[in-house]
Amino acid sequence: MVLPSISLRDARTVAALGGGLYTIVVLSWLFSAGVYFSSGNSLIVVVGFGYALVGMFLTAAVPLYLFGRLSLVSAPLATLWVLGETVYQWLYGTHLHPLSSYLTVWPILLGFVLTVTLVEAVLRLGLDRAIGRFGLRPVF
């Protein structure tokens, strides 16, 4: 059996590493800010923590993969904008619990990022068809 080689020039590898790093950073920020998982039932805590882990991983990994595989720049930019908005709300107190909300509503936030990315993809495919430029090509 031959194991495939792992390259940092592969979109899947970059997405996995970026998703893992993003998860560590966001959850470290969460715990250092005093947010924690609590329930009388330990199964609920495990499911909640798993939901947050998967969410933070996908929130970064999917946009990084789309950038690396299709050169869609709006995916990571929209993700950074959403994170920046959460940081802003946390710093200036415009939202009571921005960190816990960020972990809870990640499917909606990821859906927003994917919608923005879909608009970019359609626009770029249209431009590629019309003028032969700005097509979707791998970055790495």
Side-chain angles (χ1 to χ4, degrees):
M1 181 164 98
V2 177
L3 295 175
S5 63
I6 296 175
S7 169
L8 289 177
R9 304 275 308 154
D10 182 24
R12 294 173 295 185
T13 305
V14 171
L17 291 173
L21 182 62
Y22 187 83
T23 301
I24 291 168
V25 168
V26 170
L27 289 178
S28 296
W29 175 35
L30 175 94
F31 294 135
S32 70
V35 179
Y36 56 91
F37 296 88
S38 171
S39 175
N41 186 344
S42 60
L43 179 63
I44 292 174
V45 172
V46 169
V47 169
F49 188 69
Y51 176 80
L53 280 174
V54 168
M56 291 304 96
F57 180 81
L58 291 177
T59 297
V62 170
L64 283 173
Y65 180 77
L66 292 173
F67 172 70
R69 185 79 171 141
L70 301 172
S71 69
L72 292 165
V73 295
S74 62
L77 291 178
T79 300
L80 289 174
W81 180 78
V82 168
L83 179 63
E85 186 64 27
T86 304
V87 170
Y88 174 82
Q89 291 175 3
W90 179 71
L91 287 173
Y92 295 103
T94 59
H95 185 287
L96 290 177
H97 306 289
L99 292 172
S100 57
S101 293
Y102 189 66
L103 293 178
T104 305
V105 300
W106 68 261
I108 296 169
L109 300 175
L110 183 58
F112 166 76
V113 168
L114 293 177
T115 301
V116 169
T117 305
L118 179 64
V119 170
E120 180 194 359
V122 168
L123 178 65
R124 287 183 52 191
L125 285 172
L127 286 171
D128 188 38
R129 188 170 287 239
I131 62 173
R133 296 173 89 37
F134 306 110
L136 304 176
R137 291 170 183 76
V139 172
F140 39 80

